[in-house]
Amino acid sequence: MDFVTMGMFIIDEIHYQPPKESDFNVMGGAGLYAALGARLFRPPPSSLEVGWVVHEGHDFPSLIKATIDAWETNCRFVPTSSRPTTRAWNAYEPNGFRSFRYMNEKVRIDETCLTSEQLQSKTYHLLCSADRCISVIRGIDRKRRELAEADLNGVQSSSIQTEKPLFIWEPFPALCKPSEMGNFLDALELVDVASPNLDEFCNLLGISLDLAQPSGWSLLRQKCAELIETRRPELVLVIRLGGKGCFVAQADYHLRLPAYYDELTTNQVVDPTGGGNTFLGGFCIGLLEAGESNRGERFKQAAVYGNVAASFAIEQVGVPTLKRLSPREELWNGDSVGNRLKKYRERLAMRVP
């Protein structure tokens, strides 16, 4: 399996400023959007290489179930008939800020929720606190060792993935603050990629950055380099910049890529919710498809895939519309992923260094 997200699935209700009417039963959650990002680059039958877990409460809408089924992913539905599906309340304030709160108790996902196949993924996406990140990674590692031992003893009938997987971590936003820096650094020892957005990165370090000024970019490069030097040279930091794209930092390399929708095309952006999660799902697939390229090129391709994936997530409230033209040809919001990827690469090729 290529990709598994440990993020949750949530059903949202979204309230806007009058006179716009509210939306109900909107598919959401980090797990949904991360799975979407990977799925965009994995049409059937490769779509089964995308794994995720959905806790299906007694109120789970049949239309949402049909939408997920149409993606043809390796989605494990876990019936929770004794309770409703995890739901959240969202409201846009006059300044555009989106308030969020859970309407019922959330059901988190850990290694015990994964199938044997999902435990053999090449990449894992996590959005959680540093403590939980460490716990889940160690749990996945333990479960994978158990599978390998069972295979060695002839209990398993299929081959077991033994190569170390890649862990891509989104720190939990509310815990991105200076008092959590020790825990954050501990988690960096286990992850391959850490990806806060710019606000989370600044909040964690207790700094402010103005990317409208060259000094802002210089400080961003400096702080990323210091974090990598503090932990280990293999670590990669991917700072998500919203409408400004992303910044990728390694020990000996850094790269800034613009968003697919830049300042001239922001009218295409309807709702940025889930864009960062979708970015990381696409990022993981891009990383795998880059193969044995040098590290700089591998992570550049990953970021390209991430930015293209995010563009599909933010064109509407909820998820993009899938239209199947043939068993292997499909459109999302009327566009093919390959076409959008080609256009984005052409734009990058025309950029002045």
Side-chain angles (χ1 to χ4, degrees), residues 255-258 300 344-353:
L255 169 74
R256 174 194 172 191
L257 287 182
K300 178 180 180 180
Y344 184 62
R345 282 174 165 158
E346 289 172 350
R347 280 173 48 201
L348 294 179
M350 292 188 294
R351 284 200 309 163
V352 177

Side-chain angles (χ1 to χ4, degrees), residues 314-352:
I314 62 180
E315 293 176 333
Q316 67 288 305
V317 174
V319 297
T321 301
L322 170 63
K323 181 179 181 181
R324 190 69 50 74
L325 302 180
S326 70
R328 292 179 178 270
E329 186 179 6
E330 59 189 23
L331 301 177
W332 295 84
N333 287 349
D335 198 1
S336 76
V337 177
N339 178 59
R340 196 166 289 192
L341 188 62
K342 179 174 180 290
K343 287 182 178 179
Y344 184 62
R345 282 174 165 158
E346 289 172 350
R347 280 173 48 201
L348 294 179
M350 292 188 294
R351 284 200 309 163
V352 177

Side-chain angles (χ1 to χ4, degrees), residues 228 233 249-254 295-296:
I228 292 171
Q250 303 177 58
D252 56 353
Y253 176 87
H254 65 264
R295 275 175 59 85

Side-chain angles (χ1 to χ4, degrees), residues 5-81:
T5 176
M6 306 301 290
M8 296 187 300
F9 176 88
I10 298 170
I11 298 178
D12 287 319
E13 63 176 58
I14 307 173
H15 302 278
Y16 308 93
Q17 289 295 303
K20 188 173 182 180
E21 295 184 356
S22 300
D23 287 318
F24 296 90
N25 284 341
V26 179
M27 297 169 64
L32 166 78
Y33 283 108
L36 168 67
R39 170 62 180 83
L40 287 165
F41 296 99
R42 287 290 183 264
S46 299
S47 53
L48 291 173
E49 296 294 319
V50 176
W52 51 314
V53 176
V54 173
H55 287 94
E56 183 181 7
H58 60 68
D59 60 344
F60 203 84
S62 58
L63 183 59
I64 289 180
K65 180 72 157 55
T67 299
I68 294 175
D69 288 343
W71 290 7
E72 298 184 35
T73 56
N74 193 314
C75 179
R76 182 193 176 201
F77 285 96
V78 179
T80 53
S81 56

Side-chain angles (χ1 to χ4, degrees), residues 222-247:
Q222 175 191 330
K223 293 301 181 181
C224 285
E226 289 173 358
L227 274 176
I228 292 171
E229 184 178 358
T230 299
R231 300 337 278 171
R232 62 189 205 282
E234 303 85 24
L235 176 67
V236 178
L237 296 176
V238 179
I239 312 302
R240 292 170 285 117
L241 307 175
K244 289 183 172 62
C246 65
F247 180 80

